[in-house]
Structure formats: structure tokens, C-alpha cells
Amino acid sequence: MRSAYKEYYFRGADRIEFPDEVESREFGYIPFGGGMVRHLSFRSKGEALAEILKQSPSSVYCSNARYESPRSPIEEKGWLGAELIFDIDATDIPTACKKGHDLWYCEKCHASGKLPRPPKCTKCGGPSVEFHGTCETCLDAAKVHTNRLVGFLVEDFGVDRGAIRVYFSGNRGYHLHIFDRRFDPLDQQARGEIAEYVQGSSLPLSQSIAATLRRRLPTGPQGAGWARRITGYVGERRQSYEGTLQKLVSEAISSQRAMVDSSVTTDIHRVFRLAGTLHGNTGMSKMRIESTDKFDPQEDPVVLSAKPVSVKAEFYPKFRIRHIDYGPFKAETVELPTYAAVPILTRGLGEVA
Ligand SMILES: [Zn+2]
Ligand SMILES: [Zn+2]
């Protein structure tokens, strides 16, 4: 695996995207077969790149924060500010298809079953792990929420579209990095409020919004922000809508909110996968995308070679890559393109035969 990753890094070194002020960022990486190495810093992009090529690790991370002393322990780093970041993951967006492709399995005996995951394997008591399958519906849902988030940032927060960089995460979602200095000094609480706002979770109850609207039913969008979104939605549909006004209001919210992982946005000391580097589990690239419409998350981030590898797979649920289904596998040796073999190998559910 390391040689497959190394091959990519030598070929794709120019795809690695470093943030500004590299010297004040904290870097980290996870080597193959090892634990996380953190609190690293480099004087230049060149120095950082040389280390990435040399290590060719399983994962590479960089902070969104800038520090006076990025190598020091967290409390002594001297925090100087951090770009606002959002994480949208298909796993967190409720879609009906998840029942069909998400499951838990036992790392020991490979028993598996439907979610929720039992704390221990129901058959042998071994460690249980969640498996999230990939399907077009879920990946499309992540795109929809990404576009909604961009809408909130541009329309409600006055962010310039050019200041929003959208990245595919390398797995099942998107990272948005906001290069707008107004947000950089914000603390955890302020970032949490922004995350709540875009999710519509800080709004009054739909019952009380409905009570306000009932006094003068809107015929079109009024006000700004969420008020404009809700009145626009209700105004357009209220004539033909069969349910209650309260139900229509909750629908206006749920169909326009952007589901983000708040814990990511509020953590101001986090390190994020560096753009242009490979995901440690999937072998896909975290990559910058210009538009979600043109981006194919099943195809475009697949950057490892197609060279066939013989894999002795102990167990692996059905999965999909480059629009081709593989598996499920159970105690069999299969020949797979490198990019399809990597997810099995990284989970330790198979080995090169
Ligand atoms: Zn078991
Ligand atoms: Zn799905």
C-alpha cells in the first residue's frame, strides 16, 4: 500500500495544495501501520512536500489554525486565528437507502448485521465496527447540502464566492474552507452559532413560526436570511398545500437547511486532511472542486493505479467504485485494480495474496 501511495505522491506532487502561511500551520500524519504524529511544522511548502514524499504516509493533515509556535503543545502554541471550516458527510444526512448499504461487522468473526451497531459482536463478543456503503443517492445528498451551505455563506453572511473553497473529503463528503478573514478570530462558541444557523437548529419552533405567519400569510419571500427562505417557501406552496401550516414550516426548514458536522466547525485546534493527499482508508484524493455539478465522486478522486492486485479477502461488504460494484467477499482470493483493493487492505480485512 505504501508503494501505491508513494507512486501517487511522486506522480501527483503538484496536486498537493498548501494553505498560505505554511510556517505557522501545524502538520501531522499517520504512517502505514502506526499512530498519529502531530505538532510538526515546516518552514516552507517545499520542505513540507519533501517530507510527504519521503514518508508517503497513509494520511497527511494540516491545521486551519495559524500559530506562533506550531510545534508546541496545544496550550502553548499561541493561537493566531483559524479559517472557518465546514464538514458535510453523507453519513450524517438521513437518506432512506442507508438501511440497504450501512451495516456493522465483527472484526474477529466477521459476523455482520443491520445498524445500530451493537457495542460488541452479538455472535462472539469481538469488536464491532460500522461500515458505511457508498451510493449515488447519498453522494448526491452531500452535494445538495454543500450547495445549500454555499448559499447561506454567500447570501446570509456576505462571503465572496471566490473565498469559498470546496473540497471532496476523499471519502463520502465535502469540506468547505472559508478564506474570509472576518471569521478567523472567532472562538468556538461563535463558530457553533454559525453551524447552528445553517442547520436551522437555532430557529424558533415551527409551531411558533407558523403562529406568526398565520397573522398575515406570506405570498412571497419577505425579510432576510431564514425569514426570507421560510416565507418564500410557504408563500409559494400555501394555496395548494394539504397539511397544516406548521407542517409546511417544518418542511421549509428541513428542505433548505445544510447538515454540517458542528464538532468540526467548532474545533479550533483541529488538523484536516491536506488537499491533494490521499485518504487513509479509501485511497481516494481529497481534492478541490470547482462545481459540484460537474464533479463525479465515484470517478474523479480515484487516483491510484488500476494495476491488478491479488487480494485474499477475509470479508468485505459490497462496495462501489468507478460505478462498478465489487463484492461482497467472504474468504476468497480476488483480483482487483489497486484502487479497489486499497479499501479492503486498509481495513485489515484482506491481504495481498
Ligand atoms: Zn464476532
Ligand atoms: Zn445511500
Side-chain angles (χ1 to χ4, degrees):
M1 273 191 300
R2 187 163 178 230
S3 69
Y5 274 49
K6 200 169 196 120
E7 196 223 5
Y8 165 76
Y9 284 124
F10 275 86
R11 190 162 36 88
D14 57 339
R15 297 198 218 175
I16 300 178
E17 187 185 313
F18 293 97
D20 295 336
E21 297 168 75
V22 164
E23 67 288 350
S24 50
R25 308 282 177 172
E26 178 197 350
F27 283 82
Y29 67 89
I30 301 177
F32 281 101
M36 175 91 162
V37 182
R38 270 190 80 164
H39 311 298
L40 303 174
S41 79
F42 299 103
R43 276 166 301 188
S44 65
K45 293 178 187 181
E47 200 185 276
L49 185 61
E51 187 65 11
I52 294 170
L53 294 182
K54 188 179 141 203
Q55 301 288 345
S56 295
S58 153
S59 290
V60 184
Y61 303 99
C62 175
S63 66
N64 56 328
R66 286 167 285 109
Y67 301 103
E68 273 167 18
S69 166
R71 281 171 190 257
S72 305
I74 284 185
E75 53 283 1
E76 293 161 25
K77 279 188 193 303
W79 191 82
L80 299 169
E83 284 106 33
L84 182 65
I85 290 200
F86 296 94
D87 176 34
I88 290 177
D89 198 301
T91 316
D92 304 323
I93 304 170
T95 42
C97 50
K98 287 205 163 64
K99 276 187 229 105
H101 57 66
D102 285 4
L103 50 91
W104 68 269
Y105 66 83
C106 169
E107 284 194 309
K108 214 168 140 197
C109 77
H110 304 140
S112 61
K114 283 190 191 330
L115 295 180
R117 175 178 68 88
K120 277 177 182 165
C121 172
T122 49
K123 225 171 167 184
C124 78
S128 64
V129 197
E130 273 187 29
F131 179 88
H132 301 283
T134 304
C135 87
E136 271 80 357
T137 308
C138 289
L139 292 170
D140 284 348
K143 279 188 178 182
V144 167
H145 285 258
T146 299
N147 292 338
R148 288 182 197 166
L149 177 57
V150 171
F152 279 111
L153 292 166
V154 172
E155 291 158 29
D156 300 19
F157 290 90
V159 179
D160 186 69
R161 179 62 186 87
I164 304 171
R165 292 192 197 155
V166 181
Y167 299 90
F168 176 65
S169 71
N171 193 7
R172 295 158 44 79
Y174 297 90
H175 292 168
L176 277 77
H177 295 229
I178 318 306
F179 291 86
D180 180 330
R181 289 269 163 156
R182 290 179 300 157
F183 299 107
D184 289 10
L186 297 183
D187 64 9
Q188 297 192 334
Q189 195 195 333
R191 287 168 200 252
E193 285 174 16
I194 297 174
E196 279 183 9
Y197 179 84
V198 301
Q199 297 186 88
S201 51
S202 51
L203 291 170
L205 294 173
S206 52
Q207 193 182 1
S208 69
I209 298 176
T212 309
L213 295 182
R214 201 168 285 119
R215 275 181 242 133
R216 219 180 70 199
L217 277 167
T219 50
Q222 286 165 18
W226 267 110
R228 186 182 56 74
R229 287 183 170 79
I230 295 169
T231 50
Y233 189 94
V234 171
E236 205 175 283
R237 290 164 181 80
R238 67 184 176 94
Q239 301 279 19
S240 55
Y241 194 71
E242 311 250 303
T244 63
L245 186 56
Q246 186 191 334
K247 203 165 158 242
L248 187 56
V249 169
S250 356
E251 213 181 274
I253 298 167
S254 64
S255 66
Q256 297 184 84
R257 69 179 167 196
M259 299 285 278
V260 300
D261 182 343
S262 307
S263 70
V264 172
T265 299
T266 55
D267 186 350
I268 57 171
H269 294 288
R270 207 178 175 102
V271 285
F272 290 87
R273 192 173 304 288
L274 188 63
T277 68
L278 302 177
H279 194 283
N281 294 121
T282 65
M284 289 196 286
S285 171
K286 171 168 174 176
M287 62 188 288
R288 178 125 157 229
I289 60 172
E290 293 306 328
S291 99
T292 50
D293 300 344
K294 291 190 200 116
F295 179 70
D296 180 353
Q298 278 274 291
E299 182 73 48
D300 300 338
V302 181
V303 292
L304 288 176
S305 89
K307 208 171 91 186
V309 195
S310 209
V311 175
K312 190 167 161 251
E314 289 301 326
F315 162 83
Y316 207 82
K318 187 174 146 192
F319 67 110
R320 196 167 167 77
I321 192 161
R322 285 204 159 157
H323 304 283
I324 293 171
D325 289 324
Y326 295 94
F329 300 128
K330 194 133 206 177
E332 57 195 297
T333 300
V334 282
E335 188 158 284
L336 297 168
T338 301
Y339 57 75
V342 162
I344 303 175
L345 301 174
T346 52
R347 276 182 180 259
L349 292 172
E351 44 191 52
V352 177

